[in-house]
Amino acid sequence: MSEAFIDELRNALGNGAVLSGSDIDARYHHDLAGNPAPKPRAVVRPKTTEDVSALLRLCHRESVPVTTQGGMTGLVRGAMPNADEIVLSMERMNNVEEVDASAGVAIAQAGTPLQKLQERVEQDGLMFPLDLGARGSCTIGGNISTNAGGNRVIRYGMTRDLILGLEVVTADGTVLKGLRKYIKNNTGIDLKHLFIGSEGILGVVTRAALRVFPAPAERQVALCAMPSFGQVMALLKLARKSLGGDLTAFEAMWNAYYRHTVERVRGVAGPLPTHHPFYVLLEASGSDAERIRDGLEKMLETAMSDNVIFDATLSTSIASVAAIWRIRDSSVELGRSFPFAARMGFDVSVAIDRMEEYADTLDARVKAIDPQAFTIVMGHVGDGNLHPSVYHEHTPDKHDEFEKLVYDLTGEFGGSISAEHGIGISRRPYLKMSRTEQEIETMRTLKRALDPKNILNPGRIFTV
Amino acid sequence: MSEAFIDELRNALGNGAVLSGSDIDARYHHDLAGNPAPKPRAVVRPKTTEDVSALLRLCHRESVPVTTQGGMTGLVRGAMPNADEIVLSMERMNNVEEVDASAGVAIAQAGTPLQKLQERVEQDGLMFPLDLGARGSCTIGGNISTNAGGNRVIRYGMTRDLILGLEVVTADGTVLKGLRKYIKNNTGIDLKHLFIGSEGILGVVTRAALRVFPAPAERQVALCAMPSFGQVMALLKLARKSLGGDLTAFEAMWNAYYRHTVERVRGVAGPLPTHHPFYVLLEASGSDAERIRDGLEKMLETAMSDNVIFDATLSTSIASVAAIWRIRDSSVELGRSFPFAARMGFDVSVAIDRMEEYADTLDARVKAIDPQAFTIVMGHVGDGNLHPSVYHEHTPDKHDEFEKLVYDLTGEFGGSISAEHGIGISRRPYLKMSRTEQEIETMRTLKRALDPKNILNPGRIFTV
């Protein structure tokens, strides 16, 4: 990439849009885990869709590779630049352009932080249901490109399910104006689904029409302790039956997660003792406050009298709702409380009735490699999604061995090696555990068709 | 297409799999509306995915076009053969292969009739929520290829939202084994979404992993009469608030639909008088019978005392639930009670707060062309989806003029010209009302990449 090309970008997008050399902050080549990547050749920060189109048209002409960045909270190196790539940062396209309560839709630019959107629609009595620990930094565009899941999938689905329409710029600068607001639109191939979850390799999302819902009048959270995973499953069944569509979260924590978080993460208080084998955070919310409260209390009573739960605490205020959620949301902080080289986070889908066996087998195999190593498991059990971590402080050289162990085990259980986080670069070697050769070749066919010069996030997910 | 090629198909798939000449029944070239199409050269009826693969491999080699057929209940000529095409009928792949209650998934072959699947999972205390009037004939594969909507979209979403995984055969016979059972799987491009709703032009769906839910213990239906569309919207808001996720259907009928159906369709009884301007069929269902009954009764009381509804009847038995649903499900029979050439059905998405204006404008413009013509409107109002019909018995020559009128009006209202039924061949001239030139060109790029010889349902949706 020549200096003349960088100058051409400056001319096309305006001087302030292009950073190079010492103007490039470290945040453009470090991710949430603190991993470094090569410093990019330039960082381009468009302000409009037309800017994005102009940038890609030029990069396409010159076959210059581009990696698109949102909030840099990803965990699979998907947005980390390779050497000699241009970074396309969406940070200056961060506005919520429209909120329409009657249609139940908000239009946001891709660089809008999730929390900014959440707070903006709250002003109109609405809720955007996507929610995850990284809400303050992650962006809508990043959420879309990874099809983020988070805490309320059990009720509202993944990011994919919250998208009505997308505006996307493809590799040669073509703008696809698909920013539609209706739920039902069967007029040919549904192009937006190509871009959702494909980690930016097929196009750059610039704006999205997102589903928003009336803000629930009532939101209650219970933290329950129980002696076995069988009871966790029984509680899920009971909660689904008693609360129906009012059940908005069902998050399970194995003992080690709860205990370590309460003991190690500053600012987290544990309302229940730390010796129980399993903990569940359960949220009910909706518009009819009385119904929510009654339903949740009745359900807890039934669960208590049937010995499904041994101990429970119910939120009594907005502050206590937040305090209970803080336990579940502290996974990154918990990880950081252990030495860097020794922690490995995973993100898998496994059938719920095999989760306990999965977690036990994982722990046993980890200990077979290093008796002092251990696992910490929690996850969105209602969605079939676990986040196991492996900690091996004394055997940092065994990193690859532990990684292979987890993916092999997930394959044995017929699960997915990436429920929420995507493949990026980190998990590329393991893609074949969850996808057949024919599927990967079909992905390559699509990539070649839509990005013939392979300039968009090249090498993420697979190589062409 | 040569006789030798038909013989080669017989050799590859077995003699019983291939029909030709007088063995080809009229049902393979007539659709639900009774429209005829040219008789196909051959009808091929595979029994296995391998058969489908063998057929497509041969057709790809010889560039022979193939149109895939499910239950032939489509309304846009998408499955009607063009001259000199082979029909691929999925009718012999009609088994439900597996029902797994704990994972909430059923595996069905594409040719399985919807009602057969519904009844099979009911035996295990489960429900497959997709439901539409054509349930007895339409097939799972057809539902997937058109992304069918139906009566419970407000709670469970479109067919797309009910698919966990698909097995698909692409144009050259490649089998994509994506029959996965988990909700969360972010491992690259989500290929299944390419095939859902794309009307068979990118691949042939052979089997599907479908989401199933615990069968609701209670199901109650109310039929409400109200004097204005404003009150229909008020009732929807109230129902969403009071019933939350227990609200499973909200179907609105303009006076003409209710009145004509009760008066003209045999076997339909109207529990309310026929003079009210609007009627709403509202269903609540869930696992907690007491809560459903209480919630619905309380909501109806509130609606009555607030003058949102003027009259209402509540189902008192399974038979009365079915009787009320029969009114809504009789749209095809209602159409048939008018002379063939004079009826035109449409399927549009329009913002709910503009639906009344849309319907009134439509009726006025129809009458401006032919003062004796009239419209009948009903639809899934909660999903933004209307099904208007135009009846013009005295001006059969004005067919094209009425069609243009409806699509132009939908364009003016920023709606979709096809909410549920797809584009097929009938609506191809109007695709540009709902899709930009760039989007259509991107669809062509995908078609060329996945079906380079243009053999799968050629000419449906668009021409390459």
Side-chain angles (χ1 to χ4, degrees):
Chain A
M1 192 184 326
S2 68
E3 202 55 50
F5 182 72
I6 308 287
D7 287 342
E8 196 173 357
L9 294 182
R10 283 188 210 278
N11 285 335
L13 280 92
N15 207 22
V18 182
L19 308 175
S20 61
S22 59
D23 290 340
I24 297 177
D25 190 272
R27 73 175 185 276
Y28 298 111
H29 50 110
H30 286 77
D31 65 12
L32 188 68
N35 291 311
K39 193 169 182 172
R41 193 68 180 71
V43 173
V44 182
R45 304 180 307 151
K47 277 194 146 170
T48 64
T49 302
E50 292 65 41
D51 285 350
V52 175
S53 174
L55 170 67
L56 293 189
R57 208 162 45 238
L58 292 170
C59 291
H60 180 74
R61 193 195 69 197
E62 300 291 325
S63 300
V64 168
V66 179
T67 183
T68 305
Q69 290 187 350
M72 296 300 274
T73 61
L75 296 168
V76 294
R77 301 184 69 89
M80 295 277 267
N82 291 319
D84 219 36
E85 279 181 359
I86 280 182
V87 159
L88 163 53
S89 169
M90 297 300 287
E91 65 192 349
R92 296 206 299 179
M93 289 184 70
N94 62 3
N95 294 315
V96 180
E97 297 180 345
E98 188 187 332
V99 179
D100 181 342
S102 85
V105 61
I107 309 259
Q109 293 179 330
T112 308
L114 172 58
Q115 190 170 340
K116 181 177 174 179
L117 173 70
Q118 288 174 336
E119 290 171 358
R120 170 65 191 81
V121 304
E122 270 166 30
Q123 289 171 18
D124 287 23
L126 298 167
M127 171 187 59
F128 181 60
L130 181 67
D131 193 44
L132 50 153
R135 64 183 73 80
S137 312
C138 68
T139 63
I140 296 302
N143 298 150
I144 292 167
S145 76
T146 56
N147 186 27
N151 300 327
R152 296 194 189 116
V153 169
I154 198 168
R155 172 72 182 90
Y156 295 97
M158 310 277 285
T159 300
R160 185 183 299 280
D161 302 302
L162 302 171
I163 307 284
L164 293 171
L166 289 183
E167 181 184 78
V168 177
V169 184
T170 55
D172 63 0
T174 300
V175 182
L176 299 178
K177 293 184 183 297
L179 214 55
R180 301 193 177 83
K181 294 183 181 179
Y182 26 87
I183 295 167
K184 289 176 157 181
N185 183 29
N186 279 303
T187 52
I189 303 165
D190 199 334
L191 298 174
K192 65 176 177 285
H193 289 291
L194 264 177
F195 303 104
I196 300 168
S198 64
E199 305 185 33
I201 67 168
L202 300 180
V204 177
V205 172
T206 47
R207 295 194 292 165
L210 303 154
R211 296 184 73 174
V212 291
F213 298 80
E218 184 74 15
R219 192 173 159 214
Q220 290 224 338
V221 176
L223 183 70
C224 309
M226 51 206 74
S228 77
F229 193 74
Q231 269 127 324
V232 172
M233 288 197 285
L235 184 63
L236 176 59
K237 206 168 167 183
L238 178 66
R240 282 198 156 118
K241 188 179 157 173
S242 313
L243 302 170
D246 298 337
L247 177 68
T248 37
F250 190 94
E251 305 285 308
M253 296 167 262
W254 270 243
N255 172 277
Y257 181 84
Y258 181 79
R259 180 167 43 87
H260 285 305
T261 301
V262 168
E263 289 172 359
R264 300 174 72 105
V265 181
R266 189 191 299 263
V268 172
L272 297 177
T274 58
H275 65 275
H276 294 289
F278 292 92
Y279 298 81
V280 164
L281 182 162
L282 183 154
E283 184 183 88
S285 63
S287 300
D288 189 329
E290 199 189 330
R291 185 171 106 157
I292 301 300
R293 278 195 300 271
D294 288 358
L296 193 53
E297 279 167 20
K298 232 168 74 181
M299 193 215 73
L300 288 176
E301 272 167 38
T302 308
M304 281 283 195
S305 67
D306 293 356
N307 285 322
V308 170
I309 52 179
F310 272 18
D311 201 354
T313 179
L314 190 60
S315 59
T316 51
S317 64
I318 293 174
S320 69
V321 166
I324 294 174
W325 266 112
R326 205 166 298 132
I327 303 167
R328 172 58 188 81
D329 276 349
S330 293
S331 58
V332 171
E333 290 76 6
L334 175 62
R336 285 187 180 145
S337 78
F338 292 95
F340 171 73
R343 65 172 189 252
M344 303 173 66
F346 299 93
D347 159 46
V348 300
S349 279
V350 182
I352 182 168
D353 55 5
R354 300 195 69 193
M355 278 185 176
E356 187 176 23
E357 186 192 349
Y358 178 92
D360 290 347
T361 310
L362 175 63
D363 199 66
R365 290 197 194 170
V366 160
K367 286 194 161 50
I369 297 176
D370 170 1
Q372 287 177 284
F374 59 96
T375 58
I376 296 181
V377 182
M378 53 93 180
H380 316 288
V381 164
D383 313 325
N385 179 194
L386 285 185
H387 295 311
S389 299
V390 174
Y391 292 83
H392 56 106
E393 197 175 336
H394 307 287
T395 49
D397 56 309
K398 305 260 178 163
H399 180 280
D400 293 357
E401 205 173 328
F402 286 113
E403 192 170 78
K404 186 169 180 311
L405 185 166
V406 172
Y407 293 130
D408 284 351
L409 184 67
T410 307
E412 283 172 39
F413 276 69
S416 169
I417 62 157
S418 197
E420 297 188 314
H421 297 170
I423 298 297
I425 292 190
S426 309
R427 295 182 182 171
R428 200 175 64 192
Y430 301 98
L431 180 62
K432 60 183 183 297
M433 304 298 297
S434 289
R435 290 300 178 104
T436 66
E437 194 187 310
Q438 289 79 7
E439 288 180 299
I440 297 169
E441 196 47 44
T442 304
M443 291 188 209
R444 285 198 185 97
T445 300
L446 295 170
K447 172 71 171 169
R448 283 187 210 107
L450 292 177
D451 180 12
K453 294 184 169 185
N454 194 23
I455 66 162
L456 293 177
N457 291 12
R460 277 68 167 191
I461 307 177
F462 52 81
T463 53
V464 177
Chain B
M1 188 184 331
S2 68
E3 203 54 51
F5 183 70
I6 308 286
D7 287 341
E8 195 172 358
L9 294 182
R10 283 189 211 278
N11 286 335
L13 281 91
N15 206 23
V18 182
L19 307 176
S20 60
S22 59
D23 290 340
I24 298 177
D25 191 272
R27 72 175 188 276
Y28 297 111
H29 49 111
H30 286 78
D31 65 11
L32 187 69
N35 291 311
K39 193 169 182 172
R41 196 64 182 73
V43 172
V44 181
R45 304 180 307 150
K47 277 193 146 173
T48 65
T49 302
E50 292 65 41
D51 286 348
V52 176
S53 174
L55 170 67
L56 294 188
R57 209 163 43 237
L58 292 171
C59 291
H60 179 75
R61 191 195 70 198
E62 299 292 324
S63 299
V64 168
V66 179
T67 181
T68 305
Q69 291 186 350
M72 295 300 275
T73 62
L75 296 167
V76 295
R77 303 183 67 89
M80 295 277 266
N82 291 317
D84 218 38
E85 278 181 0
I86 280 183
V87 159
L88 164 52
S89 169
M90 297 300 287
E91 65 192 350
R92 298 206 299 178
M93 289 185 69
N94 62 2
N95 294 315
V96 180
E97 298 181 345
E98 188 187 330
V99 179
D100 182 342
S102 84
V105 62
I107 309 262
Q109 293 178 329
T112 308
L114 172 59
Q115 191 171 340
K116 181 176 173 178
L117 174 72
Q118 288 175 337
E119 290 171 358
R120 171 62 191 85
V121 304
E122 270 166 30
Q123 289 171 17
D124 287 24
L126 299 167
M127 171 187 61
F128 181 59
L130 180 67
D131 195 43
L132 49 154
R135 65 182 75 78
S137 312
C138 68
T139 63
I140 296 302
N143 298 150
I144 292 167
S145 76
T146 57
N147 187 27
N151 300 327
R152 297 197 189 113
V153 170
I154 199 169
R155 171 71 182 91
Y156 295 97
M158 310 277 284
T159 300
R160 185 183 299 280
D161 303 302
L162 302 171
I163 307 284
L164 293 172
L166 289 182
E167 181 184 78
V168 177
V169 184
T170 55
D172 64 0
T174 299
V175 182
L176 299 178
K177 293 184 182 296
L179 215 55
R180 300 193 177 82
K181 295 184 182 179
Y182 26 88
I183 297 167
K184 290 176 156 181
N185 182 28
N186 279 303
T187 52
I189 304 165
D190 199 334
L191 298 175
K192 65 176 177 285
H193 289 292
L194 265 176
F195 303 103
I196 300 168
S198 64
E199 305 186 32
I201 68 168
L202 301 180
V204 176
V205 173
T206 47
R207 295 193 293 165
L210 303 153
R211 295 184 74 173
V212 291
F213 297 80
E218 185 73 14
R219 193 171 159 217
Q220 290 224 338
V221 175
L223 183 70
C224 309
M226 50 205 74
S228 76
F229 193 76
Q231 269 126 324
V232 173
M233 287 198 287
L235 184 62
L236 176 59
K237 205 169 167 181
L238 178 65
R240 283 198 155 119
K241 189 181 157 171
S242 310
L243 302 171
D246 298 336
L247 177 68
T248 37
F250 190 94
E251 305 285 307
M253 296 167 261
W254 270 243
N255 173 275
Y257 180 84
Y258 181 78
R259 182 166 42 87
H260 285 304
T261 300
V262 168
E263 289 171 0
R264 300 173 71 103
V265 181
R266 189 192 299 263
V268 171
L272 297 177
T274 59
H275 65 274
H276 294 289
F278 292 92
Y279 298 81
V280 164
L281 183 162
L282 184 154
E283 184 183 88
S285 62
S287 301
D288 190 328
E290 199 190 330
R291 185 172 105 158
I292 301 299
R293 280 195 299 270
D294 288 357
L296 193 52
E297 279 166 21
K298 232 168 75 180
M299 193 215 75
L300 287 176
E301 272 167 39
T302 307
M304 282 282 194
S305 68
D306 291 358
N307 285 322
V308 170
I309 52 179
F310 271 20
D311 201 354
T313 180
L314 190 60
S315 58
T316 51
S317 64
I318 293 174
S320 70
V321 166
I324 294 174
W325 266 113
R326 205 166 299 133
I327 304 167
R328 172 58 187 82
D329 276 350
S330 292
S331 58
V332 171
E333 289 78 7
L334 175 62
R336 286 187 181 146
S337 78
F338 292 95
F340 171 72
R343 64 172 192 254
M344 303 174 66
F346 298 93
D347 158 46
V348 301
S349 280
V350 182
I352 182 167
D353 54 5
R354 299 195 70 195
M355 278 185 178
E356 188 175 23
E357 186 192 350
Y358 179 92
D360 290 347
T361 310
L362 174 63
D363 199 67
R365 290 196 193 170
V366 160
K367 287 193 160 51
I369 297 176
D370 170 1
Q372 288 177 284
F374 59 95
T375 57
I376 296 182
V377 181
M378 54 92 181
H380 317 288
V381 164
D383 313 325
N385 178 194
L386 285 185
H387 296 310
S389 299
V390 175
Y391 292 83
H392 56 105
E393 197 173 337
H394 307 287
T395 49
D397 56 307
K398 305 259 180 167
H399 179 280
D400 293 358
E401 206 173 326
F402 285 113
E403 192 169 81
K404 185 168 182 309
L405 185 168
V406 172
Y407 292 131
D408 283 352
L409 183 68
T410 308
E412 284 172 37
F413 276 70
S416 168
I417 61 155
S418 197
E420 296 188 315
H421 297 170
I423 297 298
I425 291 190
S426 310
R427 296 181 182 170
R428 200 176 64 192
Y430 301 98
L431 180 63
K432 59 184 184 296
M433 304 299 296
S434 288
R435 290 300 178 104
T436 66
E437 194 188 310
Q438 289 78 9
E439 288 179 299
I440 298 170
E441 196 47 44
T442 304
M443 291 189 210
R444 285 199 185 95
T445 301
L446 295 170
K447 172 71 171 169
R448 282 186 211 108
L450 291 178
D451 180 13
K453 294 183 168 185
N454 193 25
I455 65 162
L456 293 177
N457 293 12
R460 277 68 167 191
I461 308 175
F462 52 80
T463 52
V464 177

PDB file of all heavy atoms in Angstrom, chain A residues 115-127:
ATOM      1  N   GLN A 115     -25.070   0.323  24.710  1.00  0.00           N
ATOM      2  CA  GLN A 115     -25.677   0.998  25.858  1.00  0.00           C
ATOM      3  C   GLN A 115     -26.275   2.353  25.481  1.00  0.00           C
ATOM      4  O   GLN A 115     -27.314   2.753  26.001  1.00  0.00           O
ATOM      5  CB  GLN A 115     -24.619   1.173  26.967  1.00  0.00           C
ATOM      6  CG  GLN A 115     -25.219   1.650  28.276  1.00  0.00           C
ATOM      7  CD  GLN A 115     -24.210   1.591  29.416  1.00  0.00           C
ATOM      8  OE1 GLN A 115     -23.216   0.873  29.342  1.00  0.00           O
ATOM      9  NE2 GLN A 115     -24.463   2.354  30.470  1.00  0.00           N
ATOM     10  N   LYS A 116     -25.638   3.053  24.547  1.00  0.00           N
ATOM     11  CA  LYS A 116     -26.173   4.332  24.078  1.00  0.00           C
ATOM     12  C   LYS A 116     -27.548   4.128  23.440  1.00  0.00           C
ATOM     13  O   LYS A 116     -28.479   4.904  23.679  1.00  0.00           O
ATOM     14  CB  LYS A 116     -25.191   4.959  23.076  1.00  0.00           C
ATOM     15  CG  LYS A 116     -25.633   6.318  22.537  1.00  0.00           C
ATOM     16  CD  LYS A 116     -24.562   6.913  21.607  1.00  0.00           C
ATOM     17  CE  LYS A 116     -25.065   8.200  20.941  1.00  0.00           C
ATOM     18  NZ  LYS A 116     -24.049   8.796  20.062  1.00  0.00           N
ATOM     19  N   LEU A 117     -27.667   3.089  22.641  1.00  0.00           N
ATOM     20  CA  LEU A 117     -28.969   2.796  22.031  1.00  0.00           C
ATOM     21  C   LEU A 117     -29.991   2.414  23.104  1.00  0.00           C
ATOM     22  O   LEU A 117     -31.123   2.901  23.099  1.00  0.00           O
ATOM     23  CB  LEU A 117     -28.838   1.656  21.010  1.00  0.00           C
ATOM     24  CG  LEU A 117     -30.166   1.170  20.438  1.00  0.00           C
ATOM     25  CD1 LEU A 117     -30.781   2.211  19.510  1.00  0.00           C
ATOM     26  CD2 LEU A 117     -30.020  -0.161  19.721  1.00  0.00           C
ATOM     27  N   GLN A 118     -29.571   1.531  24.032  1.00  0.00           N
ATOM     28  CA  GLN A 118     -30.486   1.121  25.109  1.00  0.00           C
ATOM     29  C   GLN A 118     -31.030   2.339  25.842  1.00  0.00           C
ATOM     30  O   GLN A 118     -32.239   2.469  26.072  1.00  0.00           O
ATOM     31  CB  GLN A 118     -29.751   0.228  26.115  1.00  0.00           C
ATOM     32  CG  GLN A 118     -29.417  -1.171  25.631  1.00  0.00           C
ATOM     33  CD  GLN A 118     -28.567  -1.936  26.648  1.00  0.00           C
ATOM     34  OE1 GLN A 118     -27.870  -1.340  27.478  1.00  0.00           O
ATOM     35  NE2 GLN A 118     -28.607  -3.267  26.575  1.00  0.00           N
ATOM     36  N   GLU A 119     -30.124   3.265  26.192  1.00  0.00           N
ATOM     37  CA  GLU A 119     -30.541   4.434  26.974  1.00  0.00           C
ATOM     38  C   GLU A 119     -31.398   5.397  26.150  1.00  0.00           C
ATOM     39  O   GLU A 119     -32.331   5.997  26.654  1.00  0.00           O
ATOM     40  CB  GLU A 119     -29.306   5.146  27.549  1.00  0.00           C
ATOM     41  CG  GLU A 119     -28.653   4.300  28.643  1.00  0.00           C
ATOM     42  CD  GLU A 119     -27.295   4.840  29.113  1.00  0.00           C
ATOM     43  OE1 GLU A 119     -26.830   5.859  28.552  1.00  0.00           O
ATOM     44  OE2 GLU A 119     -26.719   4.223  30.033  1.00  0.00           O
ATOM     45  N   ARG A 120     -31.071   5.513  24.849  1.00  0.00           N
ATOM     46  CA  ARG A 120     -31.864   6.407  23.990  1.00  0.00           C
ATOM     47  C   ARG A 120     -33.308   5.930  23.872  1.00  0.00           C
ATOM     48  O   ARG A 120     -34.245   6.738  23.985  1.00  0.00           O
ATOM     49  CB  ARG A 120     -31.207   6.514  22.609  1.00  0.00           C
ATOM     50  CG  ARG A 120     -32.026   7.215  21.545  1.00  0.00           C
ATOM     51  CD  ARG A 120     -32.257   8.691  21.860  1.00  0.00           C
ATOM     52  NE  ARG A 120     -33.262   9.256  20.945  1.00  0.00           N
ATOM     53  CZ  ARG A 120     -34.573   9.126  21.105  1.00  0.00           C
ATOM     54  NH1 ARG A 120     -35.068   8.475  22.145  1.00  0.00           N
ATOM     55  NH2 ARG A 120     -35.398   9.660  20.231  1.00  0.00           N
ATOM     56  N   VAL A 121     -33.520   4.637  23.648  1.00  0.00           N
ATOM     57  CA  VAL A 121     -34.897   4.168  23.471  1.00  0.00           C
ATOM     58  C   VAL A 121     -35.654   4.154  24.798  1.00  0.00           C
ATOM     59  O   VAL A 121     -36.878   4.308  24.817  1.00  0.00           O
ATOM     60  CB  VAL A 121     -34.997   2.802  22.734  1.00  0.00           C
ATOM     61  CG1 VAL A 121     -34.302   2.870  21.380  1.00  0.00           C
ATOM     62  CG2 VAL A 121     -34.477   1.649  23.568  1.00  0.00           C
ATOM     63  N   GLU A 122     -34.912   3.989  25.905  1.00  0.00           N
ATOM     64  CA  GLU A 122     -35.561   4.078  27.227  1.00  0.00           C
ATOM     65  C   GLU A 122     -36.247   5.419  27.435  1.00  0.00           C
ATOM     66  O   GLU A 122     -37.264   5.511  28.110  1.00  0.00           O
ATOM     67  CB  GLU A 122     -34.529   3.862  28.343  1.00  0.00           C
ATOM     68  CG  GLU A 122     -34.376   2.404  28.747  1.00  0.00           C
ATOM     69  CD  GLU A 122     -33.125   2.167  29.584  1.00  0.00           C
ATOM     70  OE1 GLU A 122     -32.699   3.094  30.316  1.00  0.00           O
ATOM     71  OE2 GLU A 122     -32.551   1.061  29.471  1.00  0.00           O
ATOM     72  N   GLN A 123     -35.667   6.475  26.865  1.00  0.00           N
ATOM     73  CA  GLN A 123     -36.284   7.805  26.977  1.00  0.00           C
ATOM     74  C   GLN A 123     -37.694   7.828  26.396  1.00  0.00           C
ATOM     75  O   GLN A 123     -38.513   8.669  26.760  1.00  0.00           O
ATOM     76  CB  GLN A 123     -35.436   8.850  26.236  1.00  0.00           C
ATOM     77  CG  GLN A 123     -34.120   9.167  26.909  1.00  0.00           C
ATOM     78  CD  GLN A 123     -33.231  10.030  26.015  1.00  0.00           C
ATOM     79  OE1 GLN A 123     -33.700  10.651  25.068  1.00  0.00           O
ATOM     80  NE2 GLN A 123     -31.946  10.075  26.332  1.00  0.00           N
ATOM     81  N   ASP A 124     -37.966   6.917  25.445  1.00  0.00           N
ATOM     82  CA  ASP A 124     -39.299   6.848  24.840  1.00  0.00           C
ATOM     83  C   ASP A 124     -40.129   5.709  25.413  1.00  0.00           C
ATOM     84  O   ASP A 124     -41.110   5.280  24.798  1.00  0.00           O
ATOM     85  CB  ASP A 124     -39.185   6.667  23.311  1.00  0.00           C
ATOM     86  CG  ASP A 124     -38.733   7.940  22.618  1.00  0.00           C
ATOM     87  OD1 ASP A 124     -38.101   8.781  23.292  1.00  0.00           O
ATOM     88  OD2 ASP A 124     -39.007   8.095  21.416  1.00  0.00           O
ATOM     89  N   GLY A 125     -39.723   5.205  26.578  1.00  0.00           N
ATOM     90  CA  GLY A 125     -40.493   4.128  27.200  1.00  0.00           C
ATOM     91  C   GLY A 125     -40.312   2.789  26.517  1.00  0.00           C
ATOM     92  O   GLY A 125     -41.164   1.903  26.624  1.00  0.00           O
ATOM     93  N   LEU A 126     -39.197   2.638  25.794  1.00  0.00           N
ATOM     94  CA  LEU A 126     -38.979   1.416  25.027  1.00  0.00           C
ATOM     95  C   LEU A 126     -37.759   0.648  25.534  1.00  0.00           C
ATOM     96  O   LEU A 126     -36.965   1.182  26.321  1.00  0.00           O
ATOM     97  CB  LEU A 126     -38.771   1.771  23.542  1.00  0.00           C
ATOM     98  CG  LEU A 126     -39.953   2.463  22.863  1.00  0.00           C
ATOM     99  CD1 LEU A 126     -39.539   3.039  21.520  1.00  0.00           C
ATOM    100  CD2 LEU A 126     -41.119   1.506  22.706  1.00  0.00           C
ATOM    101  N   MET A 127     -37.607  -0.558  25.044  1.00  0.00           N
ATOM    102  CA  MET A 127     -36.457  -1.373  25.394  1.00  0.00           C
ATOM    103  C   MET A 127     -35.894  -2.022  24.137  1.00  0.00           C
ATOM    104  O   MET A 127     -36.640  -2.551  23.321  1.00  0.00           O
ATOM    105  CB  MET A 127     -36.894  -2.494  26.344  1.00  0.00           C
ATOM    106  CG  MET A 127     -35.792  -3.513  26.576  1.00  0.00           C
ATOM    107  SD  MET A 127     -36.317  -4.971  27.525  1.00  0.00           S
ATOM    108  CE  MET A 127     -37.611  -5.605  26.500  1.00  0.00           C
TER     109      MET A 127
END
